[in-house]
């Protein structure tokens, strides 16, 4: 199998503060996994931290009611992907069509759709954030006590 079409795609990030093209291929992840990049998906969410030159990817949809709940970090200058595994807290459910917002060192996962179908059309009405400095998830509880 020829892997050359996938071996040298590039990612372009353009902003006023950061303009960089990184080769994204088959790097070695920090975790030492054989698979060191996120599996293919759609309906995922990403956020970029311009200060650290990192891009974060959370969740997504693979089809046939398969939703991802994984969190990945891309070091843009080196092109290295690392799967971020929480040290504590409960990861949000796998989902697609959600938002991922970076606020300081917190990655906020809000809304989306999962395969639970416990609510109308499987819509998710919760908010969770991942603290990147301590690798922990936190659920946000509103005043009514519901997540």
């Amino acid at each position: 199998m020829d892997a050359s079409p996938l071996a040298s795609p590039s990612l372009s990030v353009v902003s006023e503060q950061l303009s960089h093209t990184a080769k994204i291929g088959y790097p070695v992840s920090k975790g030492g996994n054989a698979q060191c990049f996120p599996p293919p998906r759609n309906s995922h969410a990403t956020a970029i931290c311009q200060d650290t030159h990192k891009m974060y990817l959370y969740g997504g949809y693979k089809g046939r009611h398969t939703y991802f709940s994984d969190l990945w970090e891309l070091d843009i200058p080196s092109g290295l992907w690392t799967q971020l595994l929480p040290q504590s807290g409960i990861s949000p459910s796998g989902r697609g069509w959600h938002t991922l917002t970076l606020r300081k060192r917190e990655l906020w996962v809000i809304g989306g759709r999962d395969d639970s179908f416990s609510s109308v059309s499987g819509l998710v009405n919760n908010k969770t954030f991942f603290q990147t400095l301590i690798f922990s998830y936190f659920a946000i509880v509103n005043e009514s006590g519901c997540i």
Side-chain angles (χ1 to χ4, degrees), residues 29-126:
S29 69
K30 291 179 187 173
N33 290 338
Q35 181 172 345
C36 48
F37 49 89
R41 63 192 70 206
N42 62 47
S43 306
H44 54 278
T46 59
I48 292 178
C49 179
Q50 293 181 355
D51 294 341
T52 62
H53 303 259
K54 307 264 188 205
M55 181 178 80
Y56 297 94
L57 178 145
Y58 181 81
Y61 180 68
K62 185 178 179 180
R64 293 278 193 206
H65 303 290
T66 303
Y67 291 85
F68 292 100
S69 63
D70 52 351
L71 177 63
W72 291 82
E73 176 187 79
L74 172 65
D75 180 73
I76 295 171
S78 71
L80 293 176
W81 283 100
T82 303
Q83 186 172 10
L84 301 179
L85 302 172
Q87 301 297 315
S88 64
I90 298 172
S91 174
S93 62
R95 63 189 67 200
W97 301 278
H98 54 287
T99 63
L100 182 67
T101 302
L102 181 66
R103 181 185 172 272
K104 298 184 181 179
R105 297 286 187 209
E106 299 170 353
L107 287 166
W108 289 74
V109 178
I110 302 171
R113 180 182 177 175
D114 66 11
D115 63 352
S116 70
F117 299 107
S118 59
S119 61
V120 177
S121 301
L123 298 178
V124 180
N125 185 22
N126 62 22

